[in-house]
Amino acid sequence: EKICTREKYEKQKLLEITKNQESVYAQMLADAKRELQQISGAVSVLKNQSGERVERGDLIGYQGNTGYSFGEHLHFGIYKYKSFNEIDGWSWYYNNYVNPKEVLERKNLYWNTGCESPGYKETGNGDWKWPINNPVISQGFGYTCWSNRFYGGNPHPAYDMYGSYGAPVYATEDGEAYFCRNCLNDGGNGVFIFHDNGYMSLYWHLR
């Protein structure tokens, strides 16, 4: 019953967001699938390359204009992986994920997700730097009004956020960084950073 209620709520919110336009919904679904394909594909390329040491606060890219129907944003995830040797294919994406709020420092941030009334919310229980300074959160972690349909019933294993147009994106902590600079020749750009404490941070939709 709870699942049925959640699906009805998700459908209602999606209809509101897409203004009942089936083509908009279809494009958003295609974009969500493309995001997963790009991230998974980048792993297969980057695992054969050498990393680059970065420190907390180092500039690693800029929030990119993805061309996605979701709008310009940074997809930011945290996982418990020590190296590329522990991840392959696509199944890793929905395993060993960590709610970003558990590692990011506390900030009073504006949430505008379309799933709830917009407003400011205290976010973060850790001490890592945020990848964008004072971003707006456009999609939260876990089961959201997008997740059932766009992610095949899986939770959204990340935060989606955005700053000003082309906002700088920073390394949240020290680690070994692997840069996908159009590494798949499809316009996808992102960074994977393996941190000394066994965590991996993922930054996608950069330029």
Side-chain angles (χ1 to χ4, degrees):
E1 184 177 350
K2 287 184 178 180
I3 294 176
C4 183
T5 301
R6 190 179 76 209
E7 288 181 349
K8 286 181 179 178
Y9 174 74
E10 289 179 1
K11 183 176 181 180
Q12 178 184 352
K13 295 303 294 184
L14 286 170
L15 287 173
E16 291 175 7
I17 293 164
T18 61
K19 296 180 174 60
N20 291 305
Q21 297 180 51
E22 184 66 29
S23 61
V24 174
Y25 169 79
Q27 186 59 54
M28 294 175 85
L29 179 60
D31 289 344
K33 290 180 177 178
R34 181 181 169 212
E35 178 181 78
L36 175 55
Q37 290 171 350
Q38 283 187 329
I39 292 171
S40 300
V43 170
S44 64
V45 174
L46 296 179
K47 68 188 313 177
N48 297 316
Q49 298 182 6
S50 299
E52 174 184 331
R53 190 70 185 175
V54 295
E55 296 182 358
R56 172 192 175 104
D58 282 354
L59 178 67
I60 58 173
Y62 296 90
Q63 175 186 282
N65 184 354
T66 64
Y68 281 27
S69 50
F70 287 94
E72 179 177 298
H73 69 276
L74 171 70
H75 176 89
F76 175 76
I78 296 287
Y79 292 83
K80 287 187 176 179
Y81 291 121
K82 296 179 181 179
S83 73
F84 280 129
N85 292 331
E86 297 183 341
I87 63 178
D88 203 358
W90 62 269
S91 60
W92 66 268
Y93 185 78
Y94 290 117
N95 287 284
N96 294 330
Y97 46 75
V98 176
N99 191 332
K101 78 173 184 179
E102 299 304 325
V103 300
L104 294 168
E105 61 190 2
R106 181 173 291 272
K107 280 182 175 288
N108 189 32
L109 298 177
Y110 193 75
W111 285 62
N112 187 16
T113 65
C115 300
E116 57 199 342
S117 298
Y120 283 91
K121 186 188 302 186
E122 288 289 333
T123 308
N125 299 323
D127 56 9
W128 287 23
K129 178 181 174 60
W130 280 77
I132 294 177
N133 290 331
N134 300 314
V136 173
I137 305 299
S138 56
Q139 184 175 188
F141 171 89
Y143 292 101
T144 71
C145 63
W146 311 91
S147 59
N148 189 59
R149 284 171 168 75
F150 291 155
Y151 311 119
N154 292 295
H156 183 235
Y159 275 169
D160 287 347
M161 65 183 79
Y162 63 90
S164 57
Y165 180 80
V169 176
Y170 305 99
T172 54
E173 264 300 337
D174 301 353
E176 194 78 8
Y178 294 80
F179 293 82
C180 172
R181 298 184 175 96
N182 192 27
C183 63
L184 299 171
N185 297 313
D186 65 354
N189 293 287
V191 181
F192 296 77
I193 302 180
F194 292 96
H195 303 282
D196 300 335
N197 57 4
Y199 285 89
M200 179 191 82
S201 55
L202 164 65
Y203 315 70
W204 202 255
H205 303 312
L206 300 183
R207 65 172 174 85

